[in-house]
Amino acid sequence: MKRLLLFIALSTVFAITIQAQNSAKAKAILNKTANIIGHKGGASANFSISSPKIGSASGSIAIKGNKYHARTSQATVWFNGKTQWTYMKRTNEVNVTNPSQAQQQMMNPYTFINIYKSGYKLEMKTSGNNYIVHLTAANKNRSIQEMYITVNKSSYIPSTVKMKQGSTWTTIRIRNFKAKNQPDGIFLFKSKDFPTAEVVDLR
């Protein structure tokens, strides 16, 4: 009986150690990824997004810190770190909001470089030339409960971000990432460029 209890205790300690090592590896991967895509001067990429709620869209994005400027065929979005302006081409309307973390994630697939550092349990596995990092929220009230981030083993550049909000999964695919200096002005909406658009303040 004592041997059985000792075996169970050792097995538990071993499992906890392996889990801790896996979590540390996952965090190290995302740390490297964050350093690359968090280039001080900014970066750009092309993306596609699909979700049962919003359908599918594709376009381009420029980022700098937590700022972003995204374009699709239907809309253009500017976010300066606090305020977001969304121009809808179909209605010629600009909606002004202060987006939540989840709303930012929907437009900026790189938001995870800030949220993974606290409040999430990390695990990882390898698949071919990629690491797949799984994030699970410790707090069930977090707007983003789970995320899967696919990261290239050699470049540490992410190619896919899959996230769960409620019962809905949204998938964002990223390509043509380039670390490239971005001027601060591109993250601000300029009314003179859209003189006929109706501005609706939803804050």
Side-chain angles (χ1 to χ4, degrees):
M1 185 66 178
K2 289 183 178 179
R3 287 184 178 180
L4 177 60
L5 291 174
L6 179 60
F7 175 76
I8 292 173
L10 289 174
S11 297
T12 301
V13 170
F14 181 73
I16 292 172
T17 301
I18 294 297
Q19 186 177 24
Q21 291 174 343
N22 184 277
S23 178
K25 175 69 172 176
K27 187 171 184 179
I29 291 167
L30 292 186
N31 283 342
K32 289 183 179 180
T33 298
N35 285 337
I36 292 170
I37 65 178
H39 177 254
K40 185 177 180 180
S44 64
N46 297 112
F47 71 93
S48 62
I49 183 171
S50 61
S51 166
K53 287 187 176 180
I54 66 170
S56 301
S58 60
S60 60
I61 187 169
I63 60 173
K64 188 175 184 179
N66 66 337
K67 303 174 185 178
Y68 54 84
H69 172 53
R71 289 178 176 271
T72 71
S73 59
Q74 298 87 19
T76 304
V77 181
W78 302 259
F79 180 64
N80 67 354
K82 178 183 179 182
T83 302
Q84 178 172 293
W85 298 265
T86 304
Y87 172 71
M88 303 301 297
K89 186 176 180 180
R90 182 176 60 85
T91 59
N92 194 33
E93 185 177 278
V94 179
N95 292 327
V96 187
T97 59
N98 290 331
S100 66
Q101 182 188 85
Q103 290 168 331
Q104 291 178 47
Q105 181 72 48
M106 292 293 287
M107 286 310 306
N108 180 8
Y110 296 123
T111 303
F112 74 83
I113 70 172
N114 296 313
I115 70 173
Y116 78 92
K117 297 175 183 177
S118 63
Y120 286 88
K121 174 185 174 184
L122 305 179
E123 298 177 313
M124 59 79 61
K125 64 179 182 179
T126 59
S127 177
N129 294 324
N130 297 310
Y131 297 113
I132 300 177
V133 182
H134 182 203
L135 290 76
T136 306
N139 184 342
K140 292 185 178 181
N141 292 322
R142 291 292 289 264
S143 57
I144 300 173
Q145 279 295 303
E146 285 187 77
M147 293 180 69
Y148 288 91
I149 304 167
T150 302
V151 178
N152 183 273
K153 286 182 179 179
S154 57
S155 68
Y156 287 93
I157 294 173
S159 59
T160 305
V161 177
K162 186 177 179 181
M163 62 179 177
K164 183 181 181 183
Q165 296 171 264
S167 60
T168 302
W169 284 95
T170 298
T171 301
I172 304 171
R173 303 188 188 281
I174 306 152
R175 64 189 189 282
N176 301 329
F177 172 86
K178 295 178 182 177
K180 181 181 179 182
N181 290 343
Q182 305 293 335
D184 289 331
I186 69 169
F187 306 108
L188 293 169
F189 169 73
K190 298 178 179 65
S191 57
K192 65 181 179 63
D193 294 335
F194 300 85
T196 65
E198 180 184 0
V199 178
V200 181
D201 196 331
L202 301 174
R203 291 172 292 182

